[in-house]
């Protein structure tokens, strides 16, 4: 196992490289032959300002999937306190999509001719309770987050959404698609591990794994704050990851440019 000091040294060297050289392949306005798609789901938002600083410094655009989750500021991630933060990210050219307003987990499909689902929100007034939603009610919760994002950013979100935990079923995906939302998951190598316990998965280990396994076209997943992780993944790993991928010739795009979603986005303006 590498020592903490050696890991810190590698991260410092990577940051120095980022300042020293900007290959044409990922300079703003250049071509993007090895794209990756960095996405952030909401969380407690405690690290959100630091994440924004890194993205701006590295000139990287990402796609945010937002839900109204509990925050360290005693509100939720889509409340008026955070509205200026979201608006600033829109001005920088980032993209937005829904994560269901109440961060609602799909639990099961229920039998019947009409699509109905067992769900469990982790945010909002019904957090922690299991109950039943129709397809229309599920769609309404996706739309609620999208509408709120449009209001506070001044920018229309993409017609995309991400189910919390990535938990879905064919019926659930069909229901969301019928009301105008295509689901977005992530690549296996793109799971950056910030939800994992830091006692077993150190930042150094997660960074090394990501740099070794991420491939062109991968969708990457991180969060704007995870309550349970004692040694936060971001922003500590975020800039070294971006710098390391750039050094390998990777470039960053939003999901608006993703080949799997371009046609869907164009047909759902």
């Amino acid at each position: 196992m590498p020592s903490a000091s050696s890991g810190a040294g590698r991260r410092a060297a990577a940051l120095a490289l980022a300042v020293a050289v900007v290959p044409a392949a990922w300079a703003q306005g250049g071509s993007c032959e090895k794209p990756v798609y960095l996405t952030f789901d909401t969380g407690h938002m405690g690290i959100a300002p630091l994440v924004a600083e890194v993205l701006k410094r590295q000139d990287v655009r990402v796609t945010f999937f937002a839900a109204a989750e509990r925050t360290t500021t005693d509100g939720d991630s889509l409340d008026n306190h955070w509205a200026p933060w979201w608006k600033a990210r829109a001005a920088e050219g980032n993209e937005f999509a829904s994560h269901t307003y109440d961060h609602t987990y799909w639990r099961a499909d229920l039998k019947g001719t009409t699509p109905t689902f067992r769900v469990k929100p982790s945010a909002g007034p019904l957090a922690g309770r299991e109950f039943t939603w129709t397809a229309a009610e599920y769609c309404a919760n996706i739309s609620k987050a999208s509408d709120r994002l449009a209001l506070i950013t001044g920018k229309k979100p993409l017609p995309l959404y991400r189910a919390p935990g990535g938990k879905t079923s064919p019926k659930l995906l069909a229901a969301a698609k019928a009301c105008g939302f295509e689901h977005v998951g992530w690549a296996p190598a793109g799971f950056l591990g910030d939800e994992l316990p830091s006692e077993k998965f150190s930042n150094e280990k997660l960074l090394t794994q990501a740099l070794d396994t991420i491939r062109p076209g991968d969708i990457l997943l991180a969060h704007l704050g995870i309550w349970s992780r004692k040694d936060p993944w971001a922003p500590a790993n975020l800039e070294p990851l971006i710098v390391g991928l750039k050094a390998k010739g990777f470039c960053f795009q939003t999901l608006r440019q993703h080949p799997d979603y371009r046609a869907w986005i164009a047909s759902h303006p």
Side-chain angles (χ1 to χ4, degrees), residues 35-55:
V36 289
Y37 305 87
L38 179 57
T39 68
F40 281 90
D41 292 353
T42 41
H44 62 54
M45 300 296 284
I47 62 169
L50 297 174
V51 168
E53 288 177 12
V54 171
L55 297 178

Side-chain angles (χ1 to χ4, degrees), residues 8-114:
R10 278 195 293 274
R11 283 194 288 271
L15 293 180
L17 175 65
V19 174
V21 62
V22 181
W26 44 266
Q28 187 165 355
S31 62
C32 191
E33 297 178 357
K34 293 173 62 177
V36 289
Y37 305 87
L38 179 57
T39 68
F40 281 90
D41 292 353
T42 41
H44 62 54
M45 300 296 284
I47 62 169
L50 297 174
V51 168
E53 288 177 12
V54 171
L55 297 178
K56 188 172 182 179
R57 182 163 55 245
Q58 290 295 328
D59 198 21
V60 164
R61 310 291 179 269
V62 304
T63 305
F64 293 99
F65 288 85
E69 297 189 71
R70 180 171 64 94
T71 65
T72 57
T73 48
D74 296 325
D76 69 66
S77 46
L78 294 177
D79 63 17
N80 289 337
H81 174 88
W82 288 104
W85 187 90
W86 290 109
K87 190 173 183 64
R89 305 292 76 75
E92 293 162 0
N94 297 288
E95 299 287 352
F96 308 95
S98 178
H99 197 28
T100 69
Y101 191 84
D102 293 319
H103 201 256
T104 303
Y105 286 86
W106 169 87
R107 304 286 284 177
D109 294 341
L110 300 182
K111 292 182 179 180
T113 55
T114 302

Side-chain angles (χ1 to χ4, degrees), residues 239-261:
E239 196 150 23
L241 176 69
I242 292 172
V243 170
L245 290 175
K246 285 180 176 181
K248 290 187 169 191
F250 288 91
C251 42
F252 291 82
Q253 293 186 336
T254 70
L255 290 176
R256 185 179 291 278
Q257 287 79 45
H258 196 290
D260 289 351
Y261 303 108

